[in-house]
Amino acid sequence: VITHDVNELTEKLFPIVEAMQKHFSAGTGTYYSDSIFFLSVAMHRIMPPEITQIIQVDLDLKYKANIRDLFEEFDSFKEGAVIGIAREMQPVYRHTFWQYRRENPKTRVGEPPPDGLPGFNSGVLLLNLEAMRRSKLYNQLLEPAMVQKLTEKYRFKGHLGDQDFFTMVGMEHPELFHVLDCTWNRQLCTWWKDHGYSDVFDQYFQCDGEVKIYHGNCNTPIPED
């Protein structure tokens, strides 16, 4: 087991992600401490080169399968894909992209699966660091000017850190992502069902198949065995 100092990581991260924090952080400004919420975005820049693949997970998870099986998902990445991530299972981004959706009524942005682009949830992440380092496109998207360009195009202002960045990039460049099955990140939060989206909620929340990882996001109780 190797431990990493959070302050050290934050110090390395801050110059890389400072510009995007104002677009994807809950605070009104850009805070040094906030940069840890963007760790996954630039992990390939701060980890030693001999580390080629990482699984990054939230703490509020319950595993029903061997994590080794999740690691094997790396083998299914298509050419050009750098990150494995599951879809968001609430209409969060239907809400966040409301202005873009109003201006583009036929867009797939924010629409439910299987045909829509509901955005991503970063509770379970497969980071192919080697592919991230190699990808000219992905590294261009980290540049402040590109972040600004995309946030302006999609009229985007979020507060969920790396998840917002991956979601926005996924709207523009889905080829960068290997979409994990919902059973690898079965989110349990139903907050949006009671906040204006009860009519469409189930289209996002449905997940068929045997759950491998439960995600008790927004303090949702995880089922007992």
Side-chain angles (χ1 to χ4, degrees):
V1 175
I2 300 173
T3 58
H4 296 271
D5 187 285
V6 170
N7 292 322
E8 252 181 57
L9 291 180
T10 305
E11 194 176 327
K12 292 177 183 176
L13 273 173
F14 190 63
I16 306 170
V17 303
E18 181 183 6
M20 66 176 67
Q21 287 179 211
K22 65 180 179 181
H23 302 292
F24 314 123
S25 293
T28 53
T30 301
Y31 300 104
Y32 177 77
S33 59
D34 280 352
S35 61
I36 202 66
F37 296 107
F38 296 85
L39 179 62
S40 60
V41 168
M43 189 80 84
H44 62 302
R45 300 261 186 99
I46 62 175
M47 285 290 124
E50 60 268 23
I51 298 180
T52 59
Q53 296 171 328
I54 281 181
I55 292 178
Q56 181 179 315
V57 293
D58 285 358
L59 288 174
D60 52 353
L61 303 180
K62 182 173 183 176
Y63 300 90
K64 306 292 287 184
N66 194 322
I67 197 75
R68 183 179 294 172
D69 297 336
L70 176 60
F71 205 88
E72 288 176 357
E73 285 284 323
F74 279 116
D75 298 335
S76 300
F77 278 37
K78 292 181 180 175
E79 185 68 31
V82 300
I83 291 167
I85 189 170
R87 293 185 177 97
E88 172 60 45
M89 295 182 66
Q90 290 196 94
V92 177
Y93 294 108
R94 187 185 189 98
H95 182 83
T96 310
F97 284 101
W98 69 270
Q99 189 171 351
Y100 180 83
R101 286 169 53 80
R102 188 176 67 180
E103 294 168 359
N104 300 270
K106 294 185 178 179
T107 186
R108 295 168 61 217
V109 170
E111 286 291 296
D115 300 321
L117 298 171
F120 294 127
N121 182 281
S122 61
V124 176
L125 288 171
L126 274 64
L127 306 174
N128 189 328
L129 302 186
E130 195 169 8
M132 291 167 78
R133 293 175 186 126
R134 250 190 350 250
S135 175
K136 184 178 178 183
L137 172 59
Y138 182 77
N139 287 286
Q140 283 176 342
L141 291 165
L142 295 180
E143 296 297 325
M146 287 299 295
V147 174
Q148 182 71 30
K149 181 180 177 182
L150 285 182
T151 54
E152 287 176 359
K153 173 179 176 176
Y154 288 103
R155 312 298 185 108
F156 191 90
K157 179 70 177 83
H159 66 282
L160 296 172
D162 59 353
Q163 177 171 311
D164 288 333
F165 176 74
F166 294 144
T167 289
M168 188 183 70
V169 168
M171 301 301 173
E172 191 79 1
H173 296 288
E175 70 276 13
L176 288 171
F177 300 93
H178 168 71
V179 180
L180 295 173
D181 188 81
C182 63
T183 56
W184 279 118
N185 182 359
R186 204 310 174 216
Q187 301 135 54
L188 301 173
C189 186
T190 59
W191 191 89
W192 287 95
K193 186 173 187 176
D194 303 318
H195 292 81
Y197 292 94
S198 59
D199 57 330
V200 296
F201 183 83
D202 288 341
Q203 296 176 51
Y204 295 84
F205 197 67
Q206 181 178 347
C207 179
D208 298 323
E210 187 175 346
V211 175
K212 302 178 184 76
I213 295 178
Y214 282 106
H215 184 185
N217 51 336
C218 75
N219 300 317
T220 313
I222 295 178
E224 296 295 330
D225 289 332

